[in-house]
Amino acid sequence: MAGRTSRRCAHPRQRTMRMLSLLAAAASLACAPLFAGAAPAAAATATANTTAAPALADKQAFVNDLVARMTLDEKVGQLRLISIGPEMPAAKLMEEITAGRVGGTFNSVTRKDNRPLQEAATRSRLKIPIFFAYDVVHGHRTIFPISLGLASSWDMGVVEQAARISGLEAASDGLDATFAPMVDISRDPRWGRTSEGFGEDPFLVSQCSRASVKGFQGSSPANADSVMAFVKHFALYGAVEGGRDYNTVDMSPQRMYNDYLPPYRAGLDAGAGGVMIALNSVNGQPATSNKWLLRDLLRKEWGFKGVTVSDHGAIDELLRHGVASNGREAAQRAIEAGVDMSMADTRYLEQLPTLVKSGAVPMALLDDAVREVLGAKYDMGLFHDPFRRIGTAQTDPADVNADSRLHRAEARDAARKSMVLLENRNRTLPLKKAGTVAVIGPLADAQIDMMGSWSAAGVAKQSVTLLQGMRDALAGKGQVVYARGANITDDPRVVGYLNFLNWDNPEVVQDKRPAGDMIEEAVRVARGADTIVVAVGETRGMSHEASSRSSLGLTGSQLTLLKALKTTGKPLVVVLMNGRPLTINWEKENADAILEAWYPGTEGGHAIADLLFGDANPSGKLPITFPRSLGQIPTYYNAPRIGRPFTPGKAPNYTSQYFEEEYGPLYPFGYGLSYTTFSLSDIRLSAGKLARNGRLTASVTVRNTGDRAGETVVQLYVQDVMASTVRPLKELKGFRKVMLAPGESRVVEFPIDEAMLKFYDARLDYVAEPGDFNVQVGLDSATVKEARFTLE
Ligand code: BGC
C-alpha cells in the first residue's frame, strides 16, 4: 500500500489537511485574476451556457453532445478519481483539473478546500465539473454508531436518519458523493470490515441498504443537501476466505444469488447512483476484471444505469492477481469488464489513449464509461450548478468543526437504539443514580475509539466517552472513580500495526506501567465503589480494513482485569466496544450484566449512561451471530440444512457439531434483552393454504409482561420444508419493532405471499416451489413459535 495514507479513517487527516492548505494557497494564486469578483453561481451559468445549455433538460442528449465534443485525453481524464493527498502535489492537481484530466476526487472535505478545485474545473476547455466524494459511512461531522450498531436497532427509521444527516452534513461541506453504504454480508467475524457492514442476514442487510441509500440521497442525489450513494463492495467482499482481508472468494451461484447479492441489488433498486467494485476475486476472476459481474449481472440482468468505480488501486492490483501481465493489459481488462472510473491509480491515464488509438479498446467502450461518469455528475446536479454544495465563500462556516454543526440529539438517540443488552443477572441493570461507580477499562475514556473506523470527518475531541457520560449522568447524585486497568494489548508488535502510518499522532497510546500494576490500581479503585462498569473490547483500528484477527477473545490483559475485578464481589457491568462478534464465554458466565455498545459514535458515552441508568431501555438485537469459539466459524443462523444435524437432547455422535463444546452459538442472531420482559402467543395463520396470487397472514400477540415500558423486535422466519435444492434452516422475512407499556399487548400481523417464498434454484430461476412452509415467529432466531401452511 505504498503511498496510501490520506484516505484512511484512522490515520488520514493531518496529512490531508497539510496538503489542503498548500492547495488553497496554490489555488488562490492560480485563480485570482479569473475569478476575482466572479461568484460561483455566475461560473455555473457560464458552464451551462457554454457546454450545451439548450439540451440541459434532456440528460441523454446533453451527455451525448458533450461526449461528441471531447478529445480522447479529455475522455480518459473523466475516468480518473484522484485521492487528495501527498501522492498528488497541489500545483499538479490544479494543473490536471484545468487540463480536463480529472473526473472526481476524494478525501477533501470542506467547501473551502473544494471550491478552488471546482473553479479549476470550470476553467477547463469544456468546463466539466468534477465531483467530490468521501467515505461517509456512519456519519460525517456527527458520528453515528457503526453500521453493525445501526443494524442492531432493527429500526429502518434510525438507519435512514443516520444516513440522511450524514448526507446533509457531507453536502454542506461541499461533498457530492459517498462511498457507502457498505452492504457486504459478513459471516466471518475475523474479517475486520464486519464493523462497516450491517451483519450476516440478506433480508436485514437489504433493508439497511435501502434505508441508507434513501437517507444519503434524500429525494434525489441532485438536491443540494444530498450526496450520491455508491453501494459497495460489489461483490461478495464479506466472504473473503478465512476472513482475511482482500482474500479470494469462491462461491456457488446459488449462494451468491440467494444470500450475498440481494443487499447490493436493494441499494440499487433504491436508486443508488454508483457502485464501487470489490477488491477480491469472484470465482477466479477479480471483480475489477470480471465481465460477468459488471456487464452481465450488474448492467444486463439488473439494468444498472449509474457509474462504477474501482476500489483503491484495484486496476493496478490486476497485475498482482496475475490476470494482467502489465499496465496496458490491466487497463484493457478493467475497461472491458466495465470499470468506469479508476480510483487512485494511473493505469487508465497511461494506457487508455494508446489502447484506443491502436484499436485494442474501441472508442465506443471508452465513450460508454465516459457517459456513465457524466451521467452521474448530471444526476448529482453538477451541470446545473457545479457549486451547488460548495456555495459561496461568504456562506462558509467560520469553523467547520463547530459543535453547533453537529446533530448530537439524533446521534444519542441512534446510539441508545443500537446497543444490545446481552446479560442482566438479578436485574443488575438499570443502576441507581447514587453511590459510587468505578468506571474502568482501556475503552472507558477513549474518545477516538467511540467513533469506530471510517469515521469520516469526525473529531475525536467531540465524542463523549463512557467516563464523561457517567460523570454527566451522576452529576450531583453520585460519584465516579476511574482507573484504566489495562492496555488494549500488551504486544508492541500489535501496537505498531495499529499505529501504522500514524506515528505522528498514534491512536493507540500505551500506559507504560506493567499490566499487574494497572490491574492492582483498578481493583483498589473498584473496592471503594458500589458498582463496577468496565469498558473492554477492541480499539477502532482493530475492527477496520486490513484488521483481520485470528482470535476473537479480549486482547492483552483485559480478561485478567475482568477476573480480578470479579474478585471484589461488586456488581460487574461489562460494556463491550468492538466491531465484530467476540468470543466472550467467561464474560457471559461471570459478568452481572453485559451491554454490547459497538462503537456508538459522538454521543456514545451519554447513550451508554442513558441505558445503564434506565433513562432508556435497551432494545437492540444482534444482526450477527456470536460464536462460542473461533473454531465454530462460520456460524450463522440461516445455514443450509444438512443430513446429520445435531438434535438437542439426543446423542451428538455422528452429527454435525464440535464434540469439545456445547452446540450452537453463544448468542443467536436476533437476540437482545430489555429491562422488561415480553411474551409471545402462538402463531395464528389466516389460512392453511396459500394460492399463487394470494396472501395469508401470520399473527401473534406480543405482551409486555414486565414492569417497564420497552421495545422488542418481533421476527418472522420462514422455512421451506421440502424443495428441489437444499434450503436454509430458516430465513428472516419480516420484522416489527414494537413499543409496549407494562402489561400492554399488541397483535402483530405479517402478510405472507408467494414472492416472499421465492429463491434461486439450481438453474438460477427465481421460483416459489409448491409444498409446505414453516412459519416461525420469535424475539430472536433461536426461540420461535411455529406453524405450517402449504403453497399450492
Ligand atoms: C476501501 C474502500 C474505500 C476506498 C476509498 C478502499 O481501501 O476498500 O471501501 O471507499 O478505500 O477510501
Side-chain angles (χ1 to χ4, degrees):
M1 278 291 148
R4 285 201 62 179
T5 51
S6 61
R7 27 93 26 218
R8 297 303 211 104
C9 76
H11 342 98
R13 300 193 58 253
Q14 298 83 357
R15 278 167 233 242
T16 307
M17 290 309 152
R18 276 203 294 275
M19 167 75 185
L20 287 169
S21 42
L22 291 175
L23 254 178
S28 65
L29 289 176
C31 302
L34 257 172
F35 275 81
T45 317
T47 305
N49 288 341
T50 44
T51 46
L56 193 55
D58 179 341
K59 178 179 167 187
Q60 232 48 57
F62 177 81
V63 166
N64 287 339
D65 171 76
L66 204 45
V67 173
R69 290 191 283 128
M70 291 169 82
T71 63
L72 177 57
D73 283 352
E74 284 167 340
K75 289 178 183 177
V76 172
Q78 283 305 307
L79 308 191
R80 283 176 82 199
L81 184 53
I82 306 252
S83 171
I84 304 284
E87 45 280 36
M88 173 64 84
K92 176 76 178 155
L93 178 60
M94 298 298 281
E95 198 183 302
E96 292 292 283
I97 296 175
T98 317
R101 280 198 293 266
V102 177
T105 70
F106 62 109
N107 286 336
S108 60
V109 290
T110 66
R111 291 157 49 143
K112 197 157 148 279
D113 292 329
N114 291 345
R115 186 172 298 112
L117 304 180
Q118 194 64 294
E119 285 171 352
T122 61
R123 289 196 302 277
S124 63
R125 190 180 75 89
L126 290 171
K127 306 185 189 319
I128 298 173
I130 57 173
F131 70 83
F132 300 95
Y134 197 42
D135 290 285
V136 178
V137 179
H138 55 104
H140 178 61
R141 299 269 166 204
T142 310
I143 302 305
F144 286 85
I146 56 166
S147 302
L148 202 57
L150 290 171
S152 304
S153 74
W154 292 57
D155 182 335
M156 293 310 116
V158 167
V159 178
E160 185 173 335
Q161 189 183 50
R164 181 79 291 273
I165 291 171
S166 309
L168 189 136
E169 288 185 357
S172 71
D173 273 349
L175 291 167
D176 306 301
T178 175
F179 299 136
M182 189 283 221
V183 298
D184 305 320
I185 295 279
S186 50
R187 292 170 170 178
D188 189 333
R190 288 174 292 184
W191 192 47
R193 302 192 81 166
T194 300
S195 60
E196 211 182 316
F198 297 101
E200 76 185 25
D201 179 62
F203 184 83
L204 183 60
V205 180
S206 296
Q207 298 271 327
C208 293
S209 175
R210 200 170 294 127
S212 302
V213 169
K214 275 165 67 187
F216 285 128
Q217 297 194 161
S219 59
S220 160
N223 295 345
D225 66 354
S226 292
V227 290
M228 181 175 278
F230 279 66
V231 169
K232 69 186 184 186
H233 303 83
F234 192 66
L236 321 182
Y237 187 20
V240 285
E241 267 183 17
R244 209 157 60 243
D245 213 353
Y246 317 123
N247 207 0
T248 295
V249 174
D250 202 291
M251 191 185 282
S252 76
Q254 282 71 28
R255 174 162 286 195
M256 250 186 231
Y257 273 75
N258 285 314
D259 297 359
Y260 281 79
L261 293 176
Y264 307 108
R265 179 81 193 262
L268 302 182
D269 288 348
V275 163
M276 184 187 288
I277 301 155
L279 292 164
N280 52 281
S281 59
V282 171
N283 293 347
Q285 190 59 248
T288 310
S289 54
N290 199 318
K291 273 191 198 161
W292 169 79
L293 190 68
L294 303 180
R295 293 209 180 269
D296 298 348
L297 179 67
L298 182 66
R299 297 284 182 195
K300 292 200 195 106
E301 206 174 311
W302 291 2
F304 177 61
K305 298 268 185 296
V307 65
T308 59
V309 302
S310 77
D311 201 343
H312 203 287
I315 299 179
D316 209 35
E317 287 173 20
L318 293 179
L319 274 74
R320 265 173 272 152
H321 272 109
V323 297
S325 50
N326 51 44
R328 180 186 158 92
E329 273 180 36
Q332 179 166 1
R333 298 209 57 175
I335 192 100
E336 283 175 357
V339 179
D340 296 331
M341 291 191 95
S342 94
M343 182 194 285
D345 74 29
T346 52
R347 299 302 180 182
Y348 271 8
L349 177 75
E350 290 159 2
Q351 304 297 339
L352 282 180
T354 41
L355 280 166
V356 172
K357 277 186 212 144
S358 69
V361 167
M363 182 67 92
L365 205 60
L366 178 64
D367 286 353
D368 283 348
V370 175
R371 246 181 243 116
E372 303 303 358
V373 177
L374 298 179
K377 293 182 182 185
Y378 185 100
D379 294 341
M380 292 172 194
L382 292 174
F383 285 111
H384 295 76
D385 178 1
F387 295 90
R388 67 176 15 184
R389 297 183 186 86
I390 293 173
T392 59
Q394 292 74 24
T395 56
D396 281 352
D399 172 10
V400 287
N401 293 321
D403 214 83
S404 57
R405 300 186 82 211
L406 301 184
H407 292 81
R408 286 191 178 273
E410 294 86 346
R412 184 167 176 164
D413 181 59
R416 286 165 157 195
K417 292 177 174 156
S418 71
M419 298 183 200
V420 186
L421 183 65
L422 298 176
E423 297 293 336
N424 192 17
R425 281 200 180 81
N426 306 321
R427 303 185 87 176
T428 302
L429 296 178
L431 305 175
K432 290 199 182 56
K433 282 190 188 161
T436 302
V437 179
V439 175
I440 291 173
L443 292 163
D445 196 24
Q447 284 189 304
I448 203 159
D449 297 307
M450 299 307 283
M451 301 196 297
S453 74
W454 298 106
S455 52
V459 175
K461 273 200 309 237
Q462 290 178 317
S463 50
V464 180
T465 64
L466 170 62
L467 181 60
Q468 188 58 48
M470 295 298 280
R471 282 186 175 142
D472 291 348
L474 278 174
K477 297 175 186 131
Q479 293 283 318
V480 174
V481 287
Y482 167 74
R484 178 159 164 168
N487 284 316
I488 205 81
T489 173
D490 300 318
D491 183 346
R493 201 190 61 86
V494 173
V495 175
Y497 187 84
L498 297 173
N499 285 333
F500 180 60
L501 292 180
N502 210 25
W503 283 112
D504 44 355
N505 188 18
E507 286 202 10
V508 180
V509 182
Q510 292 296 87
D511 190 317
K512 298 274 172 4
R513 290 174 292 167
D517 292 4
M518 292 175 75
I519 292 176
E520 231 172 73
E521 179 198 55
V523 169
R524 202 176 332 116
V525 166
R527 284 199 201 285
D530 302 303
T531 313
I532 306 166
V533 174
V534 54
V536 289
E538 307 177 291
T539 63
R540 68 174 190 161
M542 291 165 72
S543 264
H544 181 53
E545 181 177 344
S547 299
S548 301
R549 290 189 61 189
S550 62
S551 61
L552 292 175
L554 292 178
T555 45
S557 41
Q558 294 186 92
L559 187 54
T560 318
L561 169 68
L562 294 186
K563 289 179 176 169
L565 292 173
K566 176 78 184 167
T567 63
T568 64
K570 312 272 175 175
L572 181 63
V573 178
V574 173
V575 175
L576 290 174
M577 293 182 201
N578 48 299
R580 49 157 71 85
L582 298 176
T583 49
I584 45 169
N585 299 275
W586 184 92
E587 297 83 335
K588 178 179 162 46
E589 292 310 316
N590 294 282
D592 294 290
I594 305 179
L595 182 69
E596 174 54 84
W598 308 115
Y599 300 111
T602 308
E603 276 292 305
H606 284 145
I608 299 171
D610 290 341
L611 293 173
L612 295 185
F613 289 112
D615 293 328
N617 192 349
S619 61
K621 300 274 188 178
L622 294 177
I624 190 162
T625 304
F626 271 47
R628 287 177 194 279
S629 62
L630 191 75
Q632 263 191 344
I633 294 170
T635 176
Y636 50 97
Y637 85 94
N638 47 354
R641 284 164 65 188
I642 54 170
R644 295 190 179 186
F646 172 87
T647 312
K650 297 215 172 127
N653 306 67
Y654 295 99
T655 68
S656 185
Q657 41 84 46
Y658 301 98
F659 68 81
E660 317 107 302
E661 71 185 1
E662 210 178 305
Y663 181 77
L666 196 63
Y667 296 110
F669 175 82
Y671 169 87
L673 302 172
S674 161
Y675 294 152
T676 188
T677 48
F678 300 94
S679 70
L680 208 55
S681 71
D682 286 339
I683 302 172
R684 298 176 295 273
L685 284 181
S686 61
K689 290 195 190 317
L690 176 64
R692 283 286 156 172
N693 49 8
R695 159 184 287 219
L696 58 77
T697 307
S699 24
V700 289
T701 305
V702 55
R703 180 183 298 277
N704 181 342
T705 51
D707 51 10
R708 301 175 69 97
E711 277 183 295
T712 190
V713 181
V714 185
Q715 303 159 32
L716 170 80
Y717 297 89
V718 171
Q719 183 196 45
D720 196 341
V721 176
M722 223 246 347
S724 59
T725 64
V726 171
R727 304 284 299 122
L729 287 164
K730 62 182 73 177
E731 294 173 286
L732 184 71
K733 292 290 177 183
F735 56 87
R736 300 267 192 293
K737 196 159 187 178
V738 220
M739 167 63 96
L740 294 170
E744 193 188 354
S745 61
R746 176 108 28 100
V747 175
V748 176
E749 293 190 343
F750 293 104
I752 297 176
D753 61 14
E754 182 190 349
M756 283 169 67
L757 310 176
K758 287 192 170 176
F759 69 101
Y760 290 93
D761 69 8
R763 295 205 324 252
L764 294 183
D765 288 334
Y766 194 50
V767 294
E769 295 180 349
D772 290 347
F773 288 83
N774 285 333
V775 181
Q776 303 179 340
V777 179
L779 302 180
D780 63 54
S781 62
T783 313
V784 291
K785 306 279 182 178
E786 196 168 88
R788 183 175 280 203
F789 71 89
T790 309
L791 175 68
E792 294 188 314

